[in-house]
């Protein structure tokens, strides 16, 4: 059972949680999982939700380092047709980053570090961006099969970009204009150390992109393995704690209850249509499937009630005084 004497320190604002008196809810979880946190405790100072008890380092390693997270067992060419939902989200994310870069206006050749790159669709969106030239793309991905698939895909389709796939950030050289953390930091028990390492990989004028779910415990029956639950305020606080200043913080996606196929807010008709399009995706034009999932998820829909927080941040010491 939960050991009430274990203290938690808020990773965003350093508030000391005091045990039973904290605001808590039970952790939405699939009961077949054996190592699930039991509660989400909320910081009284900044509102950050923290899973409790936190997973041990051993449990976390088992989850992400053994090639089990994506459950691939072979390498393959990664296509929008196979993953239309992921592609739609990545394209919307890149548009958000690209608009900011274009408004900054000074650099057209860019390097991108994508940590936890998954299928690398954010990199592909950057490579296809006509407003700038992707010169270097480094995908950090723990899954060895996925790394193999990324190498295959980039050799075949994006040979004009200097591409590297790596198991960890530490083996890569140099600094980057854009560092991407898409759906990464909500998985980390204390993201400060990791964020500091990543901030060290930003060029002086480089920009960090972060995308996290917004309070997904409100509408998902299983949030495992998410460990942190952000809002805009505590995300800004976390940035500040690691020497970053938020440039843009916005909410995207549909309203929570309507956003997921398994949620109560989705009508049976819509669920059926989503299932059919997904099943038929190999025979449908990829551009249609991507468009369909963009609409279904609201991936590019700016919405104050949306399910994702997207943020761009720069080093605070790197800023020119206003
Ligand atoms: Zn806090």
């Amino acid at each position: 059972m939960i050991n009430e004497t274990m203290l938690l320190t808020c990773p965003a604002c350093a508030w000391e949680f005091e045990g039973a008196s904290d605001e808590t809810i039970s952790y939405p979880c699939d009961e077949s999982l054996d190592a699930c946190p039991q509660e989400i405790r909320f910081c009284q100072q900044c509102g950050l939700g923290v899973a409790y008890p936190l997973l041990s380092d051993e449990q976390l390693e088992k989850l992400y380092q053994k090639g089990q997270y994506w459950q691939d067992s072979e390498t393959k060419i990664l296509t929008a047709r196979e993953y239309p939902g992921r592609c739609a989200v990545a394209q919307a994310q890149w548009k958000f980053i690209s608009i900011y870069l274009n408004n900054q206006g000074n650099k057209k050749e860019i390097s991108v570090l994508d940590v936890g790159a998954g299928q690398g669709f954010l990199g592909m969106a950057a490579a296809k961006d006509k407003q700038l030239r992707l010169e270097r793309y480094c995908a950090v991905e723990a899954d060895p099969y996925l790394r193999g698939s990324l190498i295959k895909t980039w050799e075949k389709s994006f040979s004009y970009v200097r591409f590297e796939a790596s198991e960890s950030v530490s083996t890569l050289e140099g600094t980057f204009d854009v560092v991407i953390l898409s759906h990464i930091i909500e998985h980390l028990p204390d993201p400060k150390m990791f964020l500091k390492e990543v901030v060290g990989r930003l060029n002086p004028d480089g920009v960090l992109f972060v995308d996290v779910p917004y309070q997904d415990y409100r509408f998902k029956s299983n949030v495992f393995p998410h460990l942190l639950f952000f809002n805009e305020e505590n995300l800004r606080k976390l940035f500040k704690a690691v020497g970053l200043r938020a440039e843009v913080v916005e909410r995207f996606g549909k309203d929570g209850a309507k956003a997921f196929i398994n949620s109560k807010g989705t009508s049976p008709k819509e669920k059926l249509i989503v299932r059919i399009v997904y099943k038929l995706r190999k025979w449908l034009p990829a551009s249609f499937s991507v468009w369909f999932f963009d609409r279904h998820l609201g991936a590019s829909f700016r919405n104050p009630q949306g399910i994702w927080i997207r943020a761009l941040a720069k080093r605070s010491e790197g800023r020119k005084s206003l």
Side-chain angles (χ1 to χ4, degrees):
M1 290 310 288
I2 296 169
N3 177 0
E4 293 295 351
T5 62
M6 266 176 76
L7 272 179
L8 279 175
T9 303
C10 174
C13 75
W15 171 267
E16 295 285 348
F17 286 58
E18 286 169 15
S21 64
D22 294 318
E23 188 192 340
T24 56
I25 59 166
S26 64
Y27 185 96
C29 193
D30 185 336
E31 283 176 12
S32 65
L33 295 163
D34 54 350
C36 212
Q38 294 171 22
E39 296 176 344
I40 300 172
R41 297 188 169 190
F42 293 91
C43 173
Q44 302 292 292
Q45 194 161 270
C46 75
L48 182 73
V50 182
Y52 191 87
L54 284 167
L55 302 183
S56 66
D57 291 347
E58 205 177 299
Q59 286 168 323
L60 288 168
E61 176 147 340
K62 202 174 157 200
L63 203 56
Y64 300 118
Q65 299 297 322
K66 304 276 160 73
Q68 292 177 359
Y69 188 70
W70 295 108
Q71 299 187 323
D72 280 353
S73 54
E74 56 181 12
T75 61
K76 59 189 174 191
I77 301 286
L78 301 159
T79 62
R81 172 165 281 157
E82 171 99 29
Y83 302 97
R86 290 183 185 284
C87 183
V89 171
Q91 286 186 359
Q93 290 171 320
W94 183 258
K95 198 171 160 199
F96 176 73
I97 300 167
S98 175
I99 287 169
Y100 176 81
L101 294 176
N102 283 322
N103 286 341
Q104 297 286 296
N106 43 4
K107 203 169 175 188
K108 294 292 175 198
E109 275 201 0
I110 60 159
S111 54
V112 174
L113 169 63
D114 189 354
V115 185
Q119 289 82 10
F121 286 116
L122 256 158
M124 293 188 210
K128 290 174 184 167
D129 190 332
K130 292 193 171 64
Q131 306 288 321
L132 39 82
R133 195 174 84 78
L134 179 64
E135 188 268 326
R136 183 186 183 203
Y137 176 59
C138 294
V140 173
E141 178 49 58
D143 187 304
Y145 293 107
L146 207 37
R147 283 203 302 280
S149 298
L150 284 161
I151 292 166
K152 253 190 195 174
T153 305
W154 284 73
E155 273 174 1
K156 179 176 178 275
S157 305
F158 304 98
S159 57
Y160 53 92
V161 179
R162 186 152 61 102
F163 174 77
E164 289 159 78
S166 173
E167 192 177 354
S168 77
V169 176
S170 60
T171 55
L172 292 166
E173 296 201 336
T175 55
F176 297 83
D177 299 308
V178 180
V179 176
I180 290 166
L181 298 176
S182 173
H183 294 268
I184 298 301
I185 62 172
E186 71 271 24
H187 294 257
L188 304 175
D190 187 350
K192 280 209 287 293
M193 284 279 283
F194 168 76
L195 276 171
K196 280 178 187 162
E197 185 189 0
V198 160
V199 171
R201 292 314 188 100
L202 279 175
N203 284 340
D205 209 30
V207 63
L208 175 75
F209 169 74
V210 168
D211 196 326
V212 288
Y214 174 74
Q215 300 184 346
D216 50 350
Y217 55 82
R218 293 174 305 143
F219 47 82
K220 280 160 104 178
S221 56
N222 181 17
V223 296
F224 190 77
H226 294 170
L227 303 179
L228 297 177
F229 302 87
F230 290 95
N231 62 28
E232 287 89 336
E233 182 201 348
N234 47 49
L235 188 59
R236 284 176 190 273
K237 284 208 158 92
L238 179 62
F239 285 155
K240 202 173 170 196
V242 296
L244 290 169
R245 171 111 55 113
E247 296 275 307
V248 193
V249 181
E250 281 184 292
R251 210 96 69 73
F252 282 82
K254 279 188 182 171
D255 295 11
K258 295 178 188 153
F260 289 92
I261 190 164
N262 294 325
S263 98
K264 294 183 198 100
T266 309
S267 70
K269 189 177 153 199
E270 188 175 356
K271 283 181 192 183
L272 184 66
I273 294 169
V274 172
R275 288 211 172 93
I276 290 170
V277 172
Y278 190 73
K279 284 263 183 208
L280 294 179
R281 68 195 188 284
K282 284 190 176 129
W283 295 276
L284 291 168
S287 56
F288 169 78
S289 305
V290 172
W291 171 84
F292 175 86
F293 277 94
D294 180 70
R295 293 288 300 267
H296 168 62
L297 296 164
S300 50
F301 177 37
R302 210 174 241 103
N303 173 14
Q305 310 302 323
I307 53 168
W308 298 299
I309 306 172
R310 292 183 192 152
L312 292 164
K314 281 188 159 184
R315 291 180 185 206
S316 29
E317 83 271 19
R319 282 171 65 94
K320 293 175 198 120
S321 54
L322 294 169

